[in-house]
Amino acid sequence: MIKVAMAGVYVDDVARAHSFYTDVLGFETRTHMDLGNGTLFVTVGAPEGAQPDLQLLLEPGQGPVAEPYRRALYEAGIPCIVFSVDDLPAEHRRLSALGVRFPHGPRRQGPVLAAVLDDTCGNLVQLVQPDA
């Protein structure tokens, strides 16, 4: 059986992304290594043992491939990744109180309730509540 072990998100600042994804979104640090020359290798994951074998790699988003890709997604309003939540209205209130900017708040999109937030690191992220 093949399973997803790690997915990557290009970010414009790995250290700032690490802070946002842990301190604001609530992920836990799985790996934090200084590779030298200002390069960090950072992964985060769902807290409290949820999805223990799945990590999100916060990848440096500079360079001839990553930067145009990330910028194009953002400018087109396309989220780079989708996270599920149990109670989207409550999560929207919590994150809004922390100053997170939502280009669009909770609204129905087919079988899910969805919202899109700005991760402050060059990306849009979608939150969905399935079966809402």
Side-chain angles (χ1 to χ4, degrees), residues 10-21 40 58-62 70 119-123:
Y10 291 119
V11 297
D12 58 16
D13 183 310
V14 173
R16 191 172 77 237
H18 180 234
S19 178
F20 182 84
Y21 279 74
L40 295 175
L58 303 175
E59 298 191 68
Q62 297 75 23
R70 190 171 50 83
D119 77 353
T120 73
C121 303
N123 298 297

Side-chain angles (χ1 to χ4, degrees), residues 11-64:
V11 297
D12 58 16
D13 183 310
V14 173
R16 191 172 77 237
H18 180 234
S19 178
F20 182 84
Y21 279 74
T22 56
D23 298 340
V24 177
L25 294 185
F27 287 98
E28 67 182 18
T29 302
R30 299 279 176 84
T31 307
H32 190 284
M33 295 179 356
D34 186 339
L35 302 177
N37 298 322
T39 303
L40 295 175
F41 181 85
V42 177
T43 67
V44 297
E48 301 172 9
Q51 297 179 308
D53 59 346
L54 180 57
Q55 299 180 70
L56 179 64
L57 173 62
L58 303 175
E59 298 191 68
Q62 297 75 23

Side-chain angles (χ1 to χ4, degrees), residues 106-124:
R107 61 178 139 181
R108 170 112 355 245
Q109 287 185 308
V112 301
L113 189 60
V116 174
L117 63 87
D118 185 318
D119 77 353
T120 73
C121 303
N123 298 297
L124 298 175

Side-chain angles (χ1 to χ4, degrees), residues 18 36 73 75 122:
H18 180 234
L73 285 177
E75 290 172 359

